[in-house]
Amino acid sequence: MSSSERNGKAKEKRRIFDETGKRLMREIRPLGGWVLLSAVLCLVLIGCAVAIPELMGALINRLYEWTEARTPGLGRSLLPGLGLLLGVYALQAGVTYGKYYMLQNAVSRYFCAGFRIRLSEKLRRLSVSYMDKTPAGDVIDRMMDDVSDMASSVSGVVDILISGFLQLFVIALILIITDWRMAIPVILLFPLSVFLSAKMATLGEEHWDKHFDLGGKLTSLAEEAFTNYPATKAFNREEELQKKYDELSERHQRKGILGYFLSSIVQPVIAFVNALAYIAVIVVGGWLILHRGVPIGTVVTIILFARQFSSPLERIAFGLGYIQHVKASAKRVFTILDLPEEEDPSGIVQPPTRGRVELRHVDFSYDPKKPLIRDLNMDVQPGQKVAIVGPTGAGKTTIVNLLMRFYDIQAGRILIDGRDVSELSRAENRKLFAMVLQDTWLFKGTVAENVAYGSPEATREEIVRACDSAYCDHFIRRLPHGYDTVISEDSTAVSSGQKQLLTIARALLANRPLLILDEATSNVDTRTELLIQKAMDRLMGGRTCFIIAHRLSTIVDADLILVIRDGQIVEQGTHRSLLEQKGFYYELFQSQYAI
């Protein structure tokens, strides 16, 4: 890329109203009614701002006349003007409070809630692969911090820009009407102020982008640290983790400081330019008083208006600078909203489901450059208990991901009861499966609620029956409140093996025609492993069951064992027949149990 192209792209990126800025304005459009109301309130405030110098000028003129005439009754003549001035100030304060309250509570909250709902819906429609590749902390940071930052900032920016431009227009008109000669310095310096505002407001965008990107990494690091807290303590990695966090935090802080500095420096620069106009008005006004007999009250009024003219310019400059702050958050939010969604047909499962599963010439890889599964064929009959074994990385769990349609195949077909799963919606396809993963997952709730996670309509009797069948009823009843004991993923009330039994009870209660056990016994002791095997023998009759396991002792009674190696089925048969072949399965078995 040439330097001219790089400069062109950099200029495009630094434009205030680039594509991100325009899109942000479109997002604000549904709030048009609230923005219009804000504009009306701004006009009221501008009216107050216009009236105050006029009233003060009139009072000064009255005082000046009194110093020459010394007529009695000065207090009575000033009292109405002072009362009116006080009333205008009170109205200004009340409307200001109402405007900010309305913008913060109506605009920001509506804006914030709307974006979070859209992000939540979007994430629900994204593929599992996105969540596999994206740190959970970064997603949470975008949904929480970035959306909150957009919502809290947008009301301020909208208010600043609307009130600022309206106030500029009204004050400029009044300056020209009051005395065009003193208005000239202010009007002439206006384009310079606008140019500097727009030019300098764009300087901090790069730093804001990096600031929010580092914020997402910080959240991810913190989430990872607390999730793996026992491992961190066990290996004495606290200091290293703290050092990594401090380094990242320092970079995050540095970028934030630079962003704030470059955004905030706009205001004093604009204030300096407008101070020149303010000084020019004083000089011209003094000359007009001495040589043209202009009333001193008029000059004071013009000076006050000139000062007010600089105030909205400074606010506009601040607003334009803060747009970069909002855009940096908006880019991260829009990135998620613009992600391609999974195509999902609307086909439904036609009962009854027998449970025959076929894979025909299936090809799949997570990375196109690294082929994983190639021309895989499998025919599992209804009610069979099928074990899938093989070394790490052979593609065992990948087969489960394909059956559940967490990922879609690149070639071939997957059929259930002769129907291609690509014709079914993902939700319908997943209704056919109950699943128990290697890593248990429990949410904060009662034992009964956790077991009924996949069957919320289940009765207490059905929950107890499923737990009894999964050999976990006995330890549940020993908990402080039995089935009503509150547990969670990090709960110490139940052991790892007991958590696994609860997830198996959850799968049994769901009563789906197909069952997947992905390394379900890898985190349990031998006794619990035997209990699981007994539960499977009793309850899996008539259901098609896929078991992925490293412990070959758990699948010796499987109806069919598929041996996967490098994405291919290299052997298949029963435990006994595979041992007799003395092939790859035999080698795996000997490596575990030869001693």
Side-chain angles (χ1 to χ4, degrees):
M1 183 184 293
S2 66
S3 59
S4 59
E5 290 175 334
R6 286 196 297 270
N7 292 335
K9 288 196 173 185
K11 288 181 181 178
E12 177 65 23
K13 180 182 178 181
R14 290 194 297 267
R15 286 172 54 194
I16 290 178
F17 292 108
D18 57 10
E19 192 56 41
T20 303
K22 292 174 183 177
R23 182 171 178 180
L24 197 55
M25 296 302 293
R26 290 195 297 269
E27 295 289 349
I28 299 173
R29 193 177 299 165
L31 307 176
W34 295 105
V35 174
L36 182 61
L37 178 58
S38 175
V40 172
L41 295 177
C42 285
L43 286 174
V44 175
L45 291 176
I46 291 170
C48 294
V50 169
I52 288 171
E54 292 285 354
L55 292 172
M56 293 184 69
L59 288 172
I60 291 173
N61 278 334
R62 180 71 186 92
L63 281 170
Y64 182 74
E65 292 170 359
W66 180 82
T67 58
E68 292 184 344
R70 298 286 179 173
T71 56
L74 175 64
R76 288 194 301 273
S77 63
L78 292 178
L79 193 59
L82 288 172
L84 186 58
L85 184 63
L86 182 62
V88 171
Y89 272 120
L91 177 63
Q92 186 183 47
V95 173
T96 299
Y97 172 78
K99 178 167 67 73
Y100 282 121
Y101 181 83
M102 180 269 296
L103 283 171
Q104 288 294 331
N105 286 274
V107 177
S108 290
R109 289 187 181 180
Y110 173 84
F111 192 80
C112 185
F115 260 108
R116 287 212 175 104
I117 291 171
R118 287 169 60 189
L119 281 172
S120 178
E121 289 293 319
K122 181 71 177 186
L123 290 170
R124 187 174 62 83
R125 296 191 298 269
L126 292 178
S127 65
V128 175
S129 61
Y130 172 75
M131 297 306 299
D132 283 345
K133 294 182 292 186
T134 308
D138 186 62
V139 175
I140 293 171
D141 189 65
R142 296 186 193 216
M143 288 192 69
M144 301 303 295
D145 291 349
D146 288 334
V147 172
S148 293
D149 193 69
M150 286 174 62
S152 61
S153 302
V154 73
S155 61
V157 171
V158 167
D159 173 55
I160 287 170
L161 296 182
I162 289 177
S163 62
F165 281 111
L166 285 175
Q167 192 173 355
L168 275 179
F169 176 77
V170 172
I171 292 175
L173 186 61
I174 292 175
L175 280 173
I176 294 172
I177 293 173
T178 304
D179 195 305
W180 63 270
R181 293 167 295 186
M182 284 185 282
I184 288 176
V186 180
I187 303 301
L188 287 179
L189 286 171
F190 171 70
L192 177 61
S193 297
V194 172
F195 172 77
L196 289 175
S197 299
K199 190 71 175 176
M200 299 185 65
T202 61
L203 297 177
E205 181 174 1
E206 179 181 349
H207 297 287
W208 284 126
D209 287 343
K210 194 64 178 175
H211 175 75
F212 286 110
D213 180 59
L214 290 169
K217 292 180 179 178
L218 270 175
T219 304
S220 297
L221 181 61
E223 188 265 344
E224 179 183 311
F226 286 114
T227 301
N228 302 300
Y229 187 74
T232 303
K233 299 290 286 185
F235 289 97
N236 296 319
R237 307 291 286 184
E238 298 97 327
E239 291 186 8
E240 183 176 338
L241 189 64
Q242 183 66 50
K243 182 180 178 181
K244 186 176 180 181
Y245 187 88
D246 289 343
E247 290 175 354
L248 201 58
S249 180
E250 184 180 350
R251 290 169 56 199
H252 177 257
Q253 182 184 35
R254 192 183 309 122
K255 289 297 180 181
I257 290 173
L258 286 172
Y260 276 114
F261 172 76
L262 291 173
S263 297
S264 60
I265 199 176
V266 178
Q267 234 176 329
V269 171
I270 300 304
F272 174 76
V273 174
N274 291 322
L276 298 178
Y278 188 63
I279 294 170
V281 169
I282 294 175
V283 173
V284 174
W287 186 87
L288 290 173
I289 290 173
L290 295 175
H291 297 89
R292 293 292 184 269
V294 174
I296 190 172
T298 302
V299 175
V300 170
T301 300
I302 291 290
I303 290 174
L304 290 173
F305 274 125
R307 190 58 186 165
Q308 286 194 11
F309 194 82
S310 66
S311 177
L313 271 177
E314 293 171 15
R315 296 176 66 209
I316 289 172
F318 175 79
L320 292 176
Y322 209 66
I323 285 177
Q324 307 305 326
H325 183 97
V326 181
K327 282 171 57 182
S329 295
K331 285 177 184 177
R332 288 166 50 82
V333 174
F334 292 155
T335 297
I336 293 182
L337 292 177
D338 292 340
L339 288 171
E341 299 177 8
E342 289 182 318
E343 294 183 6
D344 204 12
S346 57
I348 62 173
V349 176
Q350 300 294 336
T353 302
R354 297 172 56 243
R356 183 183 180 186
V357 178
E358 300 172 78
L359 276 69
R360 297 180 181 176
H361 306 290
V362 169
D363 290 347
F364 175 79
S365 63
Y366 297 103
D367 183 350
K369 297 179 181 179
K370 299 177 181 179
L372 179 58
I373 291 178
R374 294 162 294 176
D375 196 33
L376 180 63
N377 293 276
M378 182 190 305
D379 189 354
V380 179
Q381 297 302 313
Q384 277 191 321
K385 184 160 68 172
V386 179
I388 304 174
V389 300
T392 300
K396 304 185 301 297
T397 302
T398 299
I399 293 175
V400 172
N401 289 336
L402 299 180
L403 291 174
M404 295 291 291
R405 292 196 66 194
F406 293 152
Y407 292 83
D408 282 332
I409 58 178
Q410 276 101 42
R413 301 175 70 193
I414 299 177
L415 299 97
I416 297 179
D417 291 344
R419 186 172 183 183
D420 197 321
V421 296
S422 64
E423 300 174 0
L424 302 174
S425 72
R426 285 178 171 78
E428 285 290 316
N429 181 74
R430 290 163 190 165
K431 284 180 181 179
L432 299 172
F433 292 89
M435 193 172 185
V436 179
L437 300 174
Q438 176 179 357
D439 298 320
T440 60
W441 178 79
L442 302 174
F443 61 90
K444 188 172 182 179
T446 66
V447 171
E449 289 170 341
N450 271 278
V451 173
Y453 183 75
S455 309
E457 72 288 346
T459 64
R460 177 58 66 93
E461 291 74 17
E462 290 171 331
I463 294 172
V464 172
R465 192 180 307 122
C467 290
D468 185 54
S469 299
Y471 296 96
C472 51
D473 177 71
H474 63 288
F475 75 76
I476 294 175
R477 295 188 183 278
R478 291 200 301 266
L479 295 173
H481 303 286
Y483 282 85
D484 296 315
T485 302
V486 176
I487 58 174
S488 63
E489 179 60 36
D490 55 355
S491 175
T492 57
V494 290
S495 68
S496 297
Q498 291 169 339
K499 290 177 183 177
Q500 191 66 282
L501 287 172
L502 289 175
T503 61
I504 292 174
R506 176 194 293 168
L508 299 179
L509 181 62
N511 196 27
R512 306 285 174 77
L514 296 108
L515 175 70
I516 293 174
L517 300 174
D518 187 358
E519 305 285 0
T521 61
S522 62
N523 292 328
V524 299
D525 56 31
T526 304
R527 181 177 180 276
T528 306
E529 182 180 321
L530 293 173
L531 292 177
I532 293 174
Q533 285 181 274
K534 290 172 64 178
M536 294 303 99
D537 291 338
R538 180 191 302 174
L539 299 172
M540 289 300 98
R543 294 180 177 84
T544 306
C545 181
F546 294 88
I547 303 172
I548 297 176
H550 280 301
R551 293 186 186 180
L552 301 185
S553 62
T554 62
I555 49 91
V556 293
D557 60 344
D559 299 316
L560 176 66
I561 298 175
L562 303 176
V563 185
I564 305 291
R565 187 177 189 179
D566 298 327
Q568 297 285 320
I569 297 178
V570 294
E571 295 175 7
Q572 57 180 305
T574 64
H575 172 69
R576 182 178 296 276
S577 66
L578 289 173
L579 288 180
E580 291 174 352
Q581 292 178 25
K582 293 193 175 182
F584 186 58
Y585 179 83
Y586 177 82
E587 293 177 6
L588 289 175
F589 189 83
Q590 289 296 314
S591 67
Q592 291 188 16
Y593 302 107
I595 297 176

